[in-house]
Amino acid sequence: MLPPSLLAASEDLVRIPYGAGSSSSEVATVDDVIAGAALLRREACARAAALRSGSASADESEQEAEESEDEQQQWLSLRVRRPAAAEVAGSIGGKLWDASLLMSAWLLENPSLLQPAGCRTPRVLEIGAGLGLVGLAVARALPDARITMSDYDPAVLRNLGESIRLNFAGAAPAAPA
């Protein structure tokens, strides 16, 4: 029998830090990416621990983080629907991967890489989107971009549609392909 926490879908607030001490014209070094990963993990672990212990709600955690931010640090907040385990049984598309947090932060810090010279409308293809964090982050940062998110699991695609709806109310996602 699965624990009740795995039987119900949940909506999570994901906050992606970017911009501290970086320039959008500079590509991050490996050391910068490693430091960013450590920051993301610490933030996520602290938020998860606070929520598990009942000492803070998701909204309180967000407010506390905003109050303690560095002036140069920017944050992109997205709502992601995490499916119940039974919805995506046998799939890895219901997990929030560290790589998606890192890639999102890196793209937010280097938006010029998404719009090469001579390209008016950036186009992004996220293959194996899962929860869709990278595509959602790019869509929020570059509203004119054309973004295609794909996954092989129909249940993951339905969940992805819900995450799109949570972040872009009024914008209907394209039909799953």
Side-chain angles (χ1 to χ4, degrees):
M1 177 95 179
L2 291 172
S5 62
L6 293 179
L7 295 175
S10 65
E11 181 184 317
D12 292 340
L13 177 69
V14 178
R15 298 185 74 241
I16 304 166
Y18 68 101
S22 70
S23 164
S24 61
S25 63
E26 297 176 16
V27 176
T29 66
V30 172
D31 289 339
D32 293 337
V33 171
I34 291 169
L39 174 66
L40 288 169
R41 275 193 293 277
R42 281 193 304 273
E43 169 78 16
C45 289
R47 186 173 61 246
L51 291 173
R52 271 193 309 272
S53 71
S55 64
S57 70
D59 293 334
E60 289 170 348
S61 294
E62 179 181 4
Q63 184 179 2
E64 289 171 13
E66 287 173 358
E67 290 170 0
S68 65
E69 289 174 5
D70 179 354
E71 286 182 16
Q72 292 181 346
Q73 183 71 60
Q74 296 176 332
W75 296 85
L76 177 69
S77 295
L78 295 167
R79 297 232 178 250
V80 176
R81 182 183 183 273
R82 289 197 199 210
E87 289 180 60
V88 292
S91 174
I92 58 172
K95 179 175 175 23
L96 182 60
W97 296 92
D98 286 348
S100 66
L101 290 165
L102 292 172
M103 181 63 134
S104 298
W106 187 76
L107 288 172
L108 291 169
E109 290 183 9
N110 300 283
S112 63
L113 296 176
L114 293 171
Q115 196 162 3
C119 176
R120 282 193 238 161
T121 304
R123 294 180 183 203
V124 175
L125 172 61
E126 185 178 7
I127 298 173
L131 297 178
L133 189 65
V134 175
L136 293 170
V138 172
R140 181 67 59 81
L142 300 171
D144 294 332
R146 295 190 61 167
I147 299 165
T148 302
M149 295 184 274
S150 69
D151 207 288
Y152 70 94
D153 185 336
V156 172
L157 290 173
R158 284 190 297 276
N159 187 74
L160 182 57
E162 282 299 308
S163 288
I164 292 168
R165 185 190 59 75
L166 287 170
N167 289 282
F168 303 97

